[in-house]
Amino acid sequence: MMNNKIMIKNAAELVTCSGFKAKHGKEMSELHIIEDGAVVVEDGIIKAVGKTEDILKKYDEKDFQAIDASNKAVLPGFVDSHTHFVFGGYRAEEFSWRLRGDSYMDIMQRGGGIVNTVKATREASFEELMETGLKRLDSMLSFGVTTVEGKSGYGLDLETEIKQLKVMDELNKIHPLDIVKTFMGAHATPVEYKGRTDDYVEFMIEKVMPEIAKQNLAEFSDVFCEKNVFSIEQTRRIQEKAKELGFKIKLHADEIVQFGGAELAAELGAVSADHLLQVSDKGIEDMAKSGVVATLLPCTAFSLRESFAPGRKMIDNGCAVALASDFNPGSCFTENISLVIALATLQMNIRIEEAITAITINAAAALDRADEIGSLDPGKKGDILILEFPSYKFIPYHIGVSTVEKVIKNGKIVFDKNLGGKIC
Ligand code: NIG
Ligand code: FE
């Protein structure tokens, strides 16, 4: 047996999600399932996928660490393409205010919300952020996440933005999950710039973004484009500069009010536009045409008690929809991908097959990685989930509970529920 060679065989359903780019509209229902399937991984890369009997004709299982997946479904590792998982402090008190009827924006406008977490993140040491970050990654892994995006945006000054991004770099080195980094200096206006948002935008453009680019600390640039946060014009300025500096673009768009965020994302050639609770019909059309991945975050709508994004309408109009957790200390404090999928299917009228596409290949596309992760295709990373159940349909059916038994990352078993969780 060789450790760098794994064969998973006899899978009741091998859900390949096969493809190398985002799936739009109707294509999202096609999961390309192989019954009694097998997959072979060598040196971290998928070498072959097919029926178990065909794979066994080509490969001798004695050369492999063979895993019997009888009665189990096998899927690509989940990709959580929108999180804010590195932060100091918590905002449980604000959560209780929201239950009393205060809105997210009321709390933000009277000086709470994101800037509260900024204070705690500025005060937190590198080690404290590492420690909490590590625990959060472990939890994500238990839900089957093998790649996660993480945003800065709780520093809002050069030093702390860099600290957040460097914490992600260190975590990436020591944790099996792959971390994709996004700079989000335009998440809120910090207290020292209160009432001077244009000056803050100037500071971002002139000082902070060039330094982040110079130190190569982030791949994406994101902006909270929202009424009373960053205007369309301010967002366009920041993101035009970001493009000049070589960042790929994401937007928090049309979350609280209809604002033209989706349209702007299409104009900018963004990789994704996220939230979209209030997206316009024109915004949907623009995203479908320009290929912006519409990333929906149902746990945030649930937690904010807002109406859900019109996911069904987006798919019916040809958009590529992705799903993500939006894990953060304010609007959505959960890393639970099972709940994301349950809400998408039960509350947004998204079919289970579409939801699986949305959390795998389309989520990979939302990170510009559809060529390397998000499906079980030869040549892609060996990021694979084995469920405790025989079908992907158990994922939303077992509401809010992880159905993941084993996680294989880069061809190595890194999580096994039967062995107590993370095993590396
Ligand atoms: O995606 N909407 C803006 N940003 C985050 C929330 C951040 C926070 O409240 O700390 C989001 O929901
Ligand atoms: Fe967010």
Side-chain angles (χ1 to χ4, degrees), residues 143-154:
F143 287 101
V145 174
T146 47
T147 300
V148 64
E149 182 256 19
K151 302 177 198 292
S152 70
Y154 291 125

Side-chain angles (χ1 to χ4, degrees), residues 89-396:
Y90 291 98
R91 305 203 325 252
E93 200 55 34
E94 286 182 9
F95 178 78
S96 75
W97 297 343
R98 284 199 278 108
L99 297 182
R100 260 179 7 202
D102 293 358
S103 77
Y104 179 80
M105 276 303 179
D106 289 342
I107 295 168
M108 188 167 181
Q109 260 146 36
R110 56 172 202 253
I114 292 170
V115 293
N116 249 339
T117 300
V118 169
K119 188 168 180 292
T121 307
R122 287 178 179 178
E123 281 164 8
S125 69
F126 197 91
E127 291 67 33
E128 282 161 359
L129 293 178
M130 286 286 294
E131 204 177 305
T132 48
L134 205 54
K135 285 197 185 129
R136 292 166 195 161
L137 291 175
D138 283 352
S139 173
M140 289 170 186
L141 181 64
S142 75
F143 287 101
V145 174
T146 47
T147 300
V148 64
E149 182 256 19
K151 302 177 198 292
S152 70
Y154 291 125
L156 313 184
D157 59 21
L158 180 61
E159 188 191 331
T160 319
E161 288 293 305
I162 290 178
K163 179 170 73 177
Q164 272 193 281
L165 293 165
K166 287 198 169 164
V167 164
M168 287 186 240
D169 278 339
E170 285 309 303
L171 288 171
N172 197 29
K173 285 183 202 154
I174 62 171
H175 197 278
L177 257 77
D178 280 328
I179 301 171
V180 178
K181 291 170 298 158
T182 297
F183 169 72
M184 197 174 178
H187 197 193
T189 300
V191 281
E192 60 275 20
Y193 280 91
K194 200 172 173 14
R196 297 188 296 127
T197 300
D198 276 329
D199 292 346
Y200 180 63
V201 168
E202 196 65 26
F203 167 64
M204 282 290 121
I205 287 174
E206 295 304 326
K207 297 264 160 22
V208 181
M209 291 166 66
E211 191 55 32
I212 302 291
K214 195 169 120 202
Q215 294 191 39
N216 205 9
L217 283 170
E219 178 175 340
F220 288 89
S221 166
D222 197 346
V223 174
F224 189 5
C225 178
E226 187 71 44
K227 188 172 172 211
N228 296 326
V229 188
F230 293 97
S231 69
I232 289 282
E233 215 24 72
Q234 289 163 338
T235 305
R236 188 184 280 115
R237 275 194 71 200
I238 292 168
Q239 296 297 50
E240 289 294 0
K241 177 71 177 189
K243 285 204 301 191
E244 244 175 75
L245 290 166
F247 294 100
K248 298 170 207 168
I249 305 300
K250 288 180 169 289
L251 279 193
H252 280 58
D254 301 314
E255 179 182 358
I256 313 287
V257 298
Q258 198 170 100
F259 204 53
E263 291 88 330
L264 179 63
E267 175 198 314
L268 289 166
V271 176
S272 75
D274 302 35
H275 284 289
L276 301 166
L277 275 54
Q278 305 297 338
V279 68
S280 70
D281 288 351
K282 167 86 166 45
I284 292 178
E285 198 187 312
D286 288 2
M287 289 191 297
K289 266 196 206 138
S290 61
V292 174
V293 178
T295 299
L296 309 184
L297 314 165
C299 286
T300 309
F302 179 57
S303 166
L304 293 180
R305 301 202 282 184
E306 298 278 352
S307 51
F308 290 86
R312 179 77 263 141
K313 194 171 180 183
M314 292 183 211
I315 297 173
D316 289 343
N317 282 280
C319 286
V321 167
L323 289 164
S325 71
D326 193 23
F327 178 84
N328 75 74
S331 64
C332 189
F333 187 45
T334 183
E335 52 280 83
N336 190 331
I337 295 296
S338 302
L339 187 59
V340 169
I341 296 174
L343 290 175
T345 50
L346 288 163
Q347 297 289 327
M348 299 167 85
N349 212 6
I350 290 178
R351 287 193 282 273
I352 304 177
E353 295 73 22
E354 294 166 337
I356 300 301
T357 297
I359 197 71
T360 55
I361 185 69
N362 279 9
L367 296 181
D368 197 25
R369 279 167 171 67
D371 57 341
E372 67 183 62
I373 53 174
S375 71
L376 302 180
D377 280 307
K380 288 206 180 182
K381 283 190 182 183
D383 294 357
I384 305 171
L385 309 181
I386 302 177
L387 303 192
E388 294 173 303
F389 296 103
S391 170
Y392 65 90
K393 291 180 181 140
F394 280 75
I395 298 170

